[in-house]
Amino acid sequence: MAINRNTKLAIGAILTLTALAIVGGLLFRGEYATTQGAARTFTINDNFTSVRKVLVRTDSAKQIVTMGGGSEFISQKWQAGGADPGGTLRDLIEDPNWRIELNGTLKVLTKDSYIGEHEIALEQHVVITPDSLVSEVHLKEPTARLKKYDMTTSFNRDPQSGNTVVNLALTQEILTNAPWFAHGIADRRVLASVETTLANQEEAIRKVIAENIGDVPIFPLR
C-alpha cells in the first residue's frame, strides 16, 4: 500500500524531532541524581565471639568502609558515647550484658569513577555487645557528585550454630551527567557499582577473619 505525501511528512517530522532530541541530549547533558541501594548477607563459619575479637583487636571497623575498594582510609577519630572504653575489660568480666557504644568521624579519599577523588568525612556509630557488632556510617557533607552515602555492616551470632551472620547494606545518591534518555543506564551503572562494592567487602571481610582467627586471645571468654 502506497504511503501518501502527508503521512510521509508526518513520519519525517517525527524522525527529525527524535534526532534533534537525541542530539540535544548529547550536546546539553543534564544532571541526574540517581539513588541506588543493595544488601548482601553471608555466613562466616567461625564462632562469633572469636570473630568479634578479631574485629575489635584489628580495629576493622575503620577498614570496613574501605574494603569495597572505592576509597582509601585517611584518618579516624573516636569519641566515647554510652560507655567508658577504659572499663571495657571490667565490663567483659563482670557484666554478661555489657554494651560498648562509640561515635566518631572517619575520613576517606574516594576513588569512584562517578565521584572522582575527594576527601570526605563520614559519621560512624558502632555498637558492640556480646552477640553483635554493628557499624553505621553516614556522609557528613555532600560533595559535588556524592550526595548521600549510608552504609550498615552488622555481625551477629547465629543462635543455632554460634557462628557469624554478616549483613551488609549500602545506599548511595550520585549526581551524574546523563541525558534524559540515559537515566536508566545511569541507574544500572550506579547499582552495579554498589553491588560490586558489597561483593568486594564480603571478600575482604572473609580474608581479614581468616588471616586473624587463629590469633585471638583466650581471655576474656565472653
Side-chain angles (χ1 to χ4, degrees), residues 23-99:
V23 172
L26 293 173
L27 293 177
F28 305 100
R29 298 171 67 86
E31 292 187 327
Y32 171 60
T34 175
T35 302
Q36 301 298 322
R40 191 178 185 93
T41 299
F42 59 95
T43 299
I44 297 175
N45 293 321
D46 289 298
N47 184 270
F48 173 78
T49 300
S50 296
V51 170
R52 188 195 67 228
K53 289 180 181 181
V54 168
L55 295 172
V56 173
R57 188 172 64 85
T58 60
D59 198 10
S60 294
K62 73 180 182 183
Q63 301 178 42
I64 289 170
V65 177
T66 58
M67 281 178 175
S71 59
E72 178 181 313
F73 172 77
I74 296 176
S75 66
Q76 184 181 49
K77 183 178 181 181
W78 288 112
Q79 292 180 338
D84 172 17
T88 298
L89 182 58
R90 181 182 65 253
D91 292 340
L92 287 171
I93 297 172
E94 298 177 355
D95 184 2
N97 298 313
W98 58 267
R99 173 187 173 94

Side-chain angles (χ1 to χ4, degrees), residues 9-218:
L9 290 174
I11 294 174
I14 292 172
L15 293 175
T16 299
L17 290 173
T18 301
L20 288 173
I22 294 173
V23 172
L26 293 173
L27 293 177
F28 305 100
R29 298 171 67 86
E31 292 187 327
Y32 171 60
T34 175
T35 302
Q36 301 298 322
R40 191 178 185 93
T41 299
F42 59 95
T43 299
I44 297 175
N45 293 321
D46 289 298
N47 184 270
F48 173 78
T49 300
S50 296
V51 170
R52 188 195 67 228
K53 289 180 181 181
V54 168
L55 295 172
V56 173
R57 188 172 64 85
T58 60
D59 198 10
S60 294
K62 73 180 182 183
Q63 301 178 42
I64 289 170
V65 177
T66 58
M67 281 178 175
S71 59
E72 178 181 313
F73 172 77
I74 296 176
S75 66
Q76 184 181 49
K77 183 178 181 181
W78 288 112
Q79 292 180 338
D84 172 17
T88 298
L89 182 58
R90 181 182 65 253
D91 292 340
L92 287 171
I93 297 172
E94 298 177 355
D95 184 2
N97 298 313
W98 58 267
R99 173 187 173 94
I100 300 171
E101 186 170 355
L102 297 171
N103 295 289
T105 299
L106 181 67
K107 290 186 178 181
V108 301
L109 178 68
T110 63
K111 292 189 173 183
D112 186 272
S113 58
Y114 273 107
I115 303 168
E117 289 199 4
H118 297 282
E119 182 178 319
I120 62 172
L122 302 168
E123 291 182 343
Q124 188 171 24
H125 179 64
V126 177
V127 176
I128 309 172
T129 71
D131 297 313
S132 66
L133 187 154
V134 180
S135 169
E136 295 183 351
V137 173
H138 306 284
L139 181 67
K140 292 188 70 172
E141 298 288 342
T143 69
R145 292 295 175 193
L146 182 61
K147 300 303 181 182
K148 179 179 181 181
Y149 183 96
D150 297 320
M151 184 177 74
T152 299
T153 307
S154 69
F155 299 80
N156 300 276
R157 187 189 307 275
D158 185 303
Q160 278 74 46
S161 66
N163 290 338
T164 307
V165 178
V166 185
N167 295 287
L168 307 176
L170 173 61
T171 298
Q172 291 186 121
E173 180 181 352
I174 297 178
L175 189 63
T176 66
N177 286 321
W180 60 268
F181 57 83
H183 287 183
I185 297 174
D187 289 342
R188 290 191 292 273
R189 286 180 176 175
V190 172
L191 177 58
S193 175
V194 171
E195 292 173 336
T196 298
T197 296
L198 295 185
N200 290 342
Q201 283 182 327
E202 176 181 346
E203 181 180 354
I205 289 170
R206 289 186 182 279
K207 182 179 179 181
V208 167
I209 300 303
E211 290 178 348
N212 294 276
I213 198 69
D215 191 33
V216 294
I218 297 175

